[in-house]
Structures are given as structure tokens and as C-alpha cells.
Amino acid sequence: MEVAQRIKNLPPYLFAEIEKKVNQARAEGKEIIDLGIGDPDIPTPSFIVERLCEEAWRPENHRYPSYQGLDAFREAVVLWYKKRFGVELDPEQEVVSLIGSKEGIAHLPWCLVNPGDLVLASDPGYPVYKIGTMLAGGIPLELPLLAENDFLPDLYSFPDSIWEKVKIVFLNYPNNPTASIAPLSFFEEIVELARRYDFVIAHDLAYSEISYDGYRAPSILEVEGAREVAVEFHSLSKTFNMTGWRIGFAVGNEKVIEALGRVKTNIDSGIFNAIQWAGVEALNRVDEVLKNIIPVYTERRNLVVETFSSLGFDITPPQASFYLWVPVPPGFTSLEFTNYLLDKSQVVVTPGTGFGRYGEGFIRISITTPSPVLEKAMMRIKETWDR
Ligand SMILES: *Cc1c(COP(=O)(O)O)cnc(C)c1O
């Protein structure tokens, strides 16, 4: 038996080597602290869990959901968008529920890409942009995010001949892994390009609510005319500590939303209705949740910044996301510095190259670990630092 070429074409699992080392260290009885994964440690707020429990008992919720999502869920999305971004959406045409935003991102190229079409994906970036493209038969091209451009892509570095073949551009601000943000003026520029060259902008807004010091991330749909060319992906995972629940949504261009819905009717059948009702509860009470989690992340962010600054690293406090994108010291590659921290301090971080080749020169530290554990990790790094 042989697996299909499209599976063979998938890039090798970059963390296999690190995982092996971690398992080996654990087998030797070492206590490893994992700061590699972005998965909130804080539990889902109890009012959301309670709503799920109530709804789980109702027999009407035990049947197939609608592929578009419950009316009430889509209406809650519309209300939140109006309140949060001042953007009016049509719940029938411009909103679709997703089994986590990853699902929608992976399916988007199936809607828009013919074999051989180009898709631009932020590099470093969330790996699904490239992999979803490859699975659909498209060709991913890197959109480099460089420190000297504040991790915004240089939109004028591609010739017309490339833009003419591009079907989708994947963007993500606040950004994973670089923790960078984009001003609305950047979105205005890319919307203009999309209208000129007729491509779709897929903006991943998973970290819209995770921000600090008063910063509020914009939606690309705030740009005039954006809904003619853009869709935006959202996740309840990061805002509400609901990564395991699998619920998200996409909004924006009605043709793209309709096509995504069509792929989904043919592949999955939507999200368990009880989870969608819990999602309604969550979206109606965003502010309450943020009031509790943002101070926790702020403190953790400050701790990591202080630690690395005190060791001589050039690091500024990010305004959003729960990541720190730390430049590696001279003489190290990303992978070498990752191994150094693992060997010396028993702390796992993610090498920047795990997110694409333009991630070289950085590591990503996630602050979704209980504060005492994060403090211990920072203490160890400080104590074992020998440069
Ligand atoms: C976590 C994450 C997602 C996926 O979220 P789910 O809704 O849990 O699938 C999407 N994009 C980025 C950039 C993420 O970091």
C-alpha cells in the first residue's frame, strides 16, 4: 500500500527531533517545562461550560446541525462584529460557523484554487495556510515577514506577473508567531491590490482580543470595499480558552462564504448545536472574559520581556497575542538555540523555522503556561545563561 502523492508532498514534521530529545530527557527523570505550544492553560469560563451542560440535555440539539451554523450563533457573531468593529454583516450571506477556524482555513483553497494556482502565505506563519493550499493542488508562495518591516509583508516586492496568478493571500494580525500587529492603512493597501488583481484576502483574526496596553486590533472589514475581496477567520479558541471545543467562524465576502459552506455541506455537517449555544453565551459576554485573562497574560508577558532584557536580548513588549518572538543570540541558529535552552534549562520553546524559513533567527515563547511554572522557567533560563 502506498499513500497518495499529496500526502508524500507534505513537509516533514519539523519538531520530530525536538520531541525525541524531550522524551529522552523526561525518561531520564528531568522535569521539562514546555513553552512551545499556544494553548491556554486557563479553563473555559464556567458560565460557558454551564450553558453547554444545559444545552447538551435538550434532544433538539442532538440532531444534525445546519452546516451554516445555528441562526442564533450567526446572529451573535453579527452583534459582536457591530459592537466590536462597527462592521454590519448579513447573518444569512456573510457568516458561516466553522469547526474551529483551522478547519475553515484548510478548506478555503478548495473553494478558490485550481491546480497550479498561486497562494501567498505569510512566512513565518501558521502552517495550515501552506498545507491547505498544497492539499487543494495549489502552489504556496512565501510572503516574507521581516523584522526590518515590522513583520509586515512588502507588497511591492512581487511583479505583476505573479499577482495575476495569485488566488488567495493569507494574512494574520495580530500575528502568530511574530506577535506583530498591522495598522488599518496596511489593510487598505492590500484591499486595493486585491481589487486590482482579483484575488481573495483571507485574514486570520484568531488573536483579535488578546492585546495589551489599550491596543485594539482592527478588522480588515473596516476598510471600505473590503467585503468585495476579503474574508476574515475567527476562533473562539484563544479568546475564551476553548481550544478543545472546536468552534470558530468566517465572515465577509458572500461568494466565498457560500463556497465554504458548500464544501462543508459535502464534508462535515457543522458543529454540535450545544457547543454553538455555548458560543452564543461566550460572544455575548466577551468583556467579562477579557477582564479576567488580559491582566494574567500582561503579567506573564512582562516577566518574559524582563527576563530576556536582563540577559541582553533586544526585545520589546508585544502589543498583542500570547507569544514572544525572541531574536536568538549571535552564533546560534533557531534550532541550535532551542536545543541550548532545552539542554541547559530544560525549557522547550519553538524554533522560528518551525513556521517557515523566514523564521530563522528567532524562537517563539508561548505564555499559556500557569504563572508559577512560567516563573520557574524564566528563573532557570536566567540561572543557566552562560554567554
Ligand atoms: C490557534 C490558531 C488558529 C486556530 O484556531 P482554531 O479555531 O482552534 O482552529 C488559527 N490561526 C492562528 C494563527 C492560530 O494561532
Side-chain angles (χ1 to χ4, degrees), residues 100-103 105 126 129 172 176 204 206-207 234-238 243 246-247 323:
S101 61
K102 186 181 196 174
E103 177 261 302
I105 291 166
Y126 190 56
Y129 310 142
N172 165 222
N176 175 13
D204 181 349
Y207 295 95
H234 283 267
S235 171
L236 275 68
S237 293
K238 311 295 163 60
T243 48
R246 311 316 300 135
I247 180 166
Y323 303 110

Side-chain angles (χ1 to χ4, degrees), residues 159-189:
D160 278 5
S161 56
I162 294 279
W163 282 119
E164 280 155 10
K165 295 194 193 103
V166 169
K167 289 295 164 72
I168 308 173
V169 175
F170 279 105
L171 297 172
N172 165 222
Y173 294 99
N175 186 255
N176 175 13
T178 67
S180 58
I181 54 175
L184 204 59
S185 57
F186 169 76
F187 290 134
E188 285 166 358
E189 282 179 52

Side-chain angles (χ1 to χ4, degrees), residues 45-84:
S46 51
F47 68 83
I48 300 174
V49 179
E50 273 160 21
R51 184 71 189 262
L52 170 73
C53 294
E54 277 167 35
E55 298 294 337
W57 285 108
R58 291 189 215 284
E60 64 267 33
N61 288 337
H62 299 170
R63 311 189 64 194
Y64 281 121
S66 89
Y67 73 92
Q68 261 189 306
L70 279 175
D71 288 350
F73 180 72
R74 282 178 288 114
E75 277 153 19
V77 167
V78 169
L79 260 177
W80 179 65
Y81 243 77
K82 173 83 181 103
K83 194 166 149 232
R84 170 68 174 82

Side-chain angles (χ1 to χ4, degrees), residues 224-361:
E224 220 189 296
R227 77 183 71 203
E228 286 159 39
V229 290
V231 283
E232 201 152 61
F233 288 90
H234 283 267
S235 171
L236 275 68
S237 293
K238 311 295 163 60
T239 307
F240 303 105
N241 310 323
M242 288 172 73
T243 48
W245 295 54
R246 311 316 300 135
I247 180 166
F249 55 93
V251 300
N253 183 272
E254 60 177 62
K255 228 164 141 182
V256 179
I257 296 295
E258 199 270 335
L260 249 184
R262 262 212 269 171
V263 170
K264 291 174 58 56
T265 17
N266 286 289
I267 294 183
D268 60 63
S269 295
I271 311 160
F272 181 27
N273 281 338
I275 292 182
Q276 294 191 58
W277 282 112
V280 170
E281 195 73 34
L283 286 169
N284 289 341
R285 296 170 70 175
V286 182
D287 295 342
E288 254 171 85
V289 178
L290 297 179
K291 207 175 66 208
N292 292 320
I293 63 171
I294 297 301
V296 176
Y297 288 138
T298 306
E299 209 168 282
R300 293 180 188 174
R301 174 200 68 162
N302 293 348
L303 171 69
V304 177
V305 170
E306 277 159 27
T307 303
F308 280 87
S309 296
S310 76
L311 298 176
F313 287 71
D314 178 17
I315 176 174
T316 41
Q319 280 175 280
S321 87
F322 40 56
Y323 303 110
L324 286 104
W325 189 239
V326 181
V328 306
F332 284 102
T333 65
S334 296
L335 192 59
E336 284 164 358
F337 190 53
T338 301
N339 283 326
Y340 171 90
L341 291 176
L342 180 57
D343 294 339
K344 284 265 182 190
S345 321
Q346 279 89 55
V347 172
V348 179
V349 301
T350 312
T353 42
F355 303 97
R357 64 192 174 107
Y358 291 96
E360 183 53 83

